[in-house]
Amino acid sequence: MPREREGNRKTKGAPLPIVTTLQKFLKTYEKHCAQTQTSVCPAIKRDLKTSINNEQILSKFVLVRPDDSPPSILPVSLEPLLMTVQDECYMLGREISIWGLQLSNPEVARLASLLESKGRACPFTTLKLMDCRIDAWSLGRLGTALQFSSLRSLVLDYCKFGNEEIESVFSGLENNQRLRDLSLRFCGLGPQSGPRLGSAMCQSAVRELHLDGNYLQCSGALGLLRPIAEYVEMQGKDQPATAPPDTRNPPQPFQGIKKKIKDLTEAGPWLVKLYLADNGIDGKGKEEENSLLEFTQILTRLIRYSTHLRELDLGNNVLGEAAAADILEALRARKTGKLPVLKITVTPQISSDTFRSIWENSKKSSITRKKKEKSMLLDTCAG
């Protein structure tokens, strides 16, 4: 659990300031739990006591319902924790992780208000709601807060969403210049979510997108990638992947990643890592067969022209030999064009030669690695 050490400023016989702060935080948290008639979260109490004993800052709060808690025991709630953060003006936290809770409207409303306060009262940059039950109103409120928060990472894994609920999340991504990482693994997303998500990616600063374990299928994945591929192809038309890029004037998307103004990044698409494993992307059925062909065409355009994409996971999707061959050809064109190495994961259910070739063309060459090691050695000797 990530914590930072306060430092060796302890006066003999006197506790460190962080120890006093955390002791007061725990006392206030227990008081708010009693007032709201909810249970103290064992994980929160344990982590606070561990940090107190180790004289360390607590930066990550994990709220989880005990597996063995009987129905007669008072529920664990998010609200007392948020009330304590506000009352104690605790600005050392960086992450809130919530596992397996049913979040009420008042809890989400308080969370959203805290996120909207940004640096004035909210230090958190990572929010994880995993396997939580959240209704449409709460997701809408959270989506609104996304646009004004300082969050850089949002994880909603294993939360099941309908079309209305996920739309609230997508709307919060539009023109969001802070959020970098988004994870929606095993959320029940279907083909209809692809185009909306693709549109949102083109209007946000998200660089890492996890969509493993959904059911986008070919049509949904196509809808996701189409606007991104069209954008990078347009940017790369003057410098196609079959010719070396001009190092004096690198493509604009790469500059976009670097450009920051007060922790803001211009709207994308800036995807660096995309995870689409286990999404039913295959050619089963006549309609899906046509969609797979079109998906492959869009995918290879992205591979050829994207200067910022570094990792693409297509594992557990039966793409077939023809699609794999097209991916290999695009990787070779990318390599010829001296674009950054792209690591691609595909299912091994293709010929061993094609699989091996894809693997070889999506890894850093030993020559590059040796040159880097030699450069580091020379720098060390020069120092």
Side-chain angles (χ1 to χ4, degrees):
M1 198 165 292
R3 301 186 184 90
E4 302 169 15
R5 185 166 290 278
E6 169 81 8
N8 297 321
R9 295 178 294 166
K10 185 174 182 180
T11 304
K12 187 175 181 180
L16 285 172
I18 187 59
V19 172
T20 303
T21 298
L22 292 178
Q23 287 173 336
K24 190 178 179 185
F25 189 99
L26 177 56
K27 186 176 180 180
T28 303
Y29 173 60
E30 291 176 331
K31 180 189 72 175
H32 282 310
C33 285
Q35 289 175 342
T36 56
Q37 296 185 331
T38 58
S39 291
V40 171
C41 175
I44 295 289
K45 187 173 183 177
R46 180 198 63 222
D47 291 342
L48 281 167
K49 286 192 170 183
T50 300
S51 294
I52 291 170
N53 292 335
N54 294 336
E55 300 176 343
Q56 293 177 329
I57 291 170
L58 180 61
S59 60
K60 178 178 179 179
F61 294 94
V62 179
L63 197 71
V64 58
R65 180 178 60 84
D67 292 333
D68 55 351
S69 59
S72 58
I73 298 297
L74 293 173
V76 170
S77 172
L78 172 63
E79 200 157 9
L81 176 62
L82 300 180
M83 293 166 68
T84 305
V85 169
Q86 292 176 309
D87 288 356
E88 297 300 323
C89 298
Y90 189 79
M91 297 297 292
L92 302 174
R94 293 294 177 266
E95 177 180 327
I96 295 182
S97 294
I98 306 170
W99 286 80
L101 295 185
Q102 173 142 8
L103 298 177
S104 66
N105 292 158
E107 287 176 292
V108 175
R110 185 178 287 274
L111 172 62
S113 296
L114 180 64
L115 294 176
E116 288 169 341
S117 63
K118 293 184 181 179
R120 300 192 309 274
C122 180
F124 298 104
T125 56
T126 297
L127 175 63
K128 296 181 179 180
L129 307 178
M130 291 165 288
D131 195 22
C132 292
R133 291 169 293 286
I134 315 171
D135 67 16
W137 185 91
S138 290
L139 269 174
R141 183 66 184 90
L142 187 61
T144 300
L146 278 181
Q147 297 184 345
F148 304 99
S149 75
S150 295
L151 287 180
R152 295 174 64 84
S153 178
L154 176 63
V155 178
L156 298 173
D157 296 348
Y158 300 98
C159 297
K160 300 301 180 183
F161 300 129
N163 293 337
E164 181 183 351
E165 289 90 348
I166 198 62
E167 175 62 31
S168 301
V169 178
F170 293 160
S171 63
L173 297 175
E174 294 176 353
N175 301 314
N176 190 315
Q177 295 179 285
R178 286 187 172 84
L179 194 69
R180 302 290 190 271
D181 303 330
L182 175 64
S183 186
L184 296 167
R185 299 186 306 136
F186 299 93
C187 288
L189 303 184
Q192 68 282 354
S193 298
R196 189 65 182 87
L197 187 54
S199 175
M201 289 299 100
C202 290
Q203 302 176 62
S204 73
V206 171
R207 301 178 188 177
E208 193 165 321
L209 180 61
H210 296 257
L211 295 172
D212 317 63
N214 288 290
Y215 200 56
L216 292 179
Q217 300 181 279
C218 292
S219 56
L222 173 62
L224 166 64
L225 295 187
R226 188 194 299 277
I228 302 172
E230 289 176 349
Y231 179 84
V232 299
E233 183 177 18
M234 178 182 66
Q235 292 292 314
K237 273 187 176 179
D238 295 333
Q239 298 181 12
T242 52
D246 186 349
T247 55
R248 294 169 300 174
N249 297 294
Q252 186 63 33
F254 188 72
Q255 293 176 346
I257 294 178
K258 301 285 187 180
K259 187 173 182 180
K260 293 182 180 179
I261 303 175
K262 294 183 180 179
D263 202 32
L264 300 180
T265 300
E266 291 181 347
W270 308 127
L271 278 182
V272 176
K273 297 182 179 181
L274 176 60
Y275 302 91
L276 287 170
D278 196 16
N279 261 276
I281 303 173
D282 53 43
K284 295 179 180 179
K286 289 186 178 180
E287 291 185 6
E288 281 299 299
E289 187 175 343
N290 293 332
S291 295
L292 177 60
L293 178 60
E294 193 173 358
F295 165 76
T296 304
Q297 292 171 345
I298 289 292
L299 176 64
T300 53
R301 287 160 63 183
L302 183 65
I303 293 171
R304 285 173 180 269
Y305 292 102
S306 178
T307 60
H308 43 280
L309 190 63
R310 300 291 192 276
E311 190 168 339
L312 177 61
D313 188 353
L314 296 168
N316 288 340
N317 295 296
V318 186
L319 300 175
E321 188 66 29
D326 289 340
I327 290 173
L328 176 57
E329 182 183 349
L331 276 173
R332 285 171 172 163
R334 181 184 181 89
K335 195 172 183 178
T336 301
K338 301 186 185 303
L339 267 66
V341 174
L342 172 60
K343 178 183 176 183
I344 292 187
T345 302
V346 295
T347 178
Q349 293 178 314
I350 52 178
S351 71
S352 58
D353 289 342
T354 304
F355 183 81
R356 187 183 305 109
S357 296
I358 289 176
W359 179 77
E360 289 175 348
N361 280 274
S362 63
K363 67 174 183 177
K364 293 184 178 179
S365 68
S366 58
I367 296 176
T368 302
R369 187 163 56 249
K370 288 177 181 177
K371 284 183 178 179
K372 185 176 180 181
E373 290 172 355
K374 184 177 179 181
S375 176
M376 290 174 65
L377 179 61
L378 291 174
D379 289 342
T380 302
C381 295

